[in-house]
Amino acid sequence: MHVIVTDVIKRFEESADKQRALQQKAYMRNQFEFYGISSPERALIYRSIFALHNPVNQSIIEEVIPELWSLQQRECQYFAIELAKRHIRQMDSAFVNTIEYMICQKSWWDTVDLIATNLVGKLFQKFPELILYYITKWATSENLWLQRTTLLFQIKYKDKTDAALLFKLIESFAGHPDFFIRKAIGWALREYSRTDPQLVAEFVKNHQLSPLSTKEAVKLLKKRKL
């Protein structure tokens, strides 16, 4: 086990709170174990570990992430995401394979949304030539979380958003029965409405979306009376 992983485990065990861990586990529908560490406490632990292990390269990150992902406590996956996030701009295009692994293993919205917006989004900005292949591959896969990622990876792109791609994806998923896809459609449209509210308003008006997707999409448009 890599020394970073052993240090993470040691620090998390020292800060564990069994009562909070039970609450966190229940919130996540009892799918994952937790140490019971709050977000502010985790942030402090992150800083101390990053200060101790600096610098790290892609090889180390690609070794550490699967080790962290194999551990039961969910905070270990959160740390892996934060580690990758801090170094994502240093990664080469092959890192997409590690990202895909993270999306597909121990999948739930809490990790997938962070990965989509902070890792996939940034890596694809650096290597736009990856977009067509991977977004097509993921969108047409049978993996719900890869599909959700295609809808969310541009969330932070603002005026750099490829609206045509976003709308094409939404059209393909508009009839999807799953809550997480319908919610992602609404979230993606809502965020893009901050950049181009008129375009989003027209899209929602001219497409048959689920009530959930529509409700989420028009939240900001209602304030603009569009």
Side-chain angles (χ1 to χ4, degrees):
M1 187 173 290
H2 195 280
V3 64
I4 292 177
V5 179
T6 58
D7 284 352
V8 168
I9 294 171
K10 180 176 182 294
R11 291 298 307 274
F12 281 168
E13 287 179 344
E14 291 172 348
S15 301
D17 182 324
K18 291 184 179 179
Q19 186 60 41
R20 184 185 286 126
L22 291 174
Q23 295 170 355
Q24 292 173 327
K25 181 177 179 179
Y27 179 70
M28 286 295 172
R29 301 183 183 180
N30 297 313
Q31 294 185 92
F32 309 106
E33 300 296 330
F34 284 84
Y35 283 112
I37 305 172
S38 68
S39 295
E41 289 175 312
R42 289 203 313 270
L44 292 174
I45 293 171
Y46 294 166
R47 284 199 289 271
S48 65
I49 293 176
F50 291 141
L52 185 62
H53 301 280
N54 186 47
V56 296
N57 58 32
Q58 183 164 337
S59 177
I60 292 173
I61 291 172
E62 290 177 338
E63 176 184 352
V64 166
I65 285 176
E67 291 185 6
L68 289 165
W69 227 258
S70 71
L71 299 174
Q72 287 188 330
Q73 287 80 5
R74 198 59 164 166
E75 290 94 340
C76 295
Q77 283 89 68
Y78 297 156
F79 180 87
I81 294 169
E82 186 65 23
L83 175 65
K85 178 182 173 182
R86 284 177 175 249
H87 298 88
I88 190 63
R89 299 199 184 281
Q90 303 168 24
M91 301 297 100
D92 64 29
S93 61
F95 192 64
V96 69
N97 297 309
T98 299
I99 290 175
E100 188 175 72
Y101 165 85
M102 296 165 76
I103 295 169
C104 294
Q105 303 299 318
K106 298 189 176 180
S107 311
W108 197 242
W109 63 266
D110 60 326
T111 53
V112 171
D113 292 1
L114 290 172
I115 294 165
T117 56
N118 293 294
L119 302 185
V120 178
K122 290 181 180 177
L123 193 74
F124 283 2
Q125 280 184 316
K126 184 177 180 181
F127 301 104
E129 66 273 14
L130 297 176
I131 294 175
L132 178 60
Y133 174 79
Y134 281 97
I135 294 305
T136 300
K137 175 188 175 185
W138 294 348
T140 56
S141 74
E142 296 183 356
N143 186 298
L144 168 72
W145 301 106
L146 290 174
Q147 293 173 345
R148 182 171 166 95
T149 296
T150 68
L151 292 163
L152 299 182
F153 83 96
Q154 297 190 87
I155 283 287
K156 297 182 180 182
Y157 281 17
K158 299 181 180 179
D159 62 344
K160 303 297 184 184
T161 299
D162 183 340
L165 174 60
L166 175 61
F167 292 159
K168 180 180 178 181
L169 288 164
I170 291 173
E171 288 170 350
S172 70
F173 288 125
H176 201 289
D178 193 273
F179 168 86
F180 287 106
I181 297 299
R182 294 184 173 192
K183 186 81 169 182
I185 288 171
W187 181 16
L189 288 170
R190 185 179 74 241
E191 288 304 306
Y192 189 53
S193 75
R194 299 177 189 275
T195 299
D196 197 333
Q198 191 63 52
L199 187 60
V200 172
E202 291 175 1
F203 181 85
V204 173
K205 179 181 179 181
N206 295 322
H207 290 79
Q208 187 173 356
L209 304 175
S210 72
L212 174 60
S213 298
T214 301
K215 178 183 177 181
E216 291 294 323
V218 302
K219 282 182 176 178
L220 299 179
L221 297 177
K222 285 184 176 180
K223 297 179 181 179
R224 295 173 178 262
K225 297 182 179 181
L226 292 174

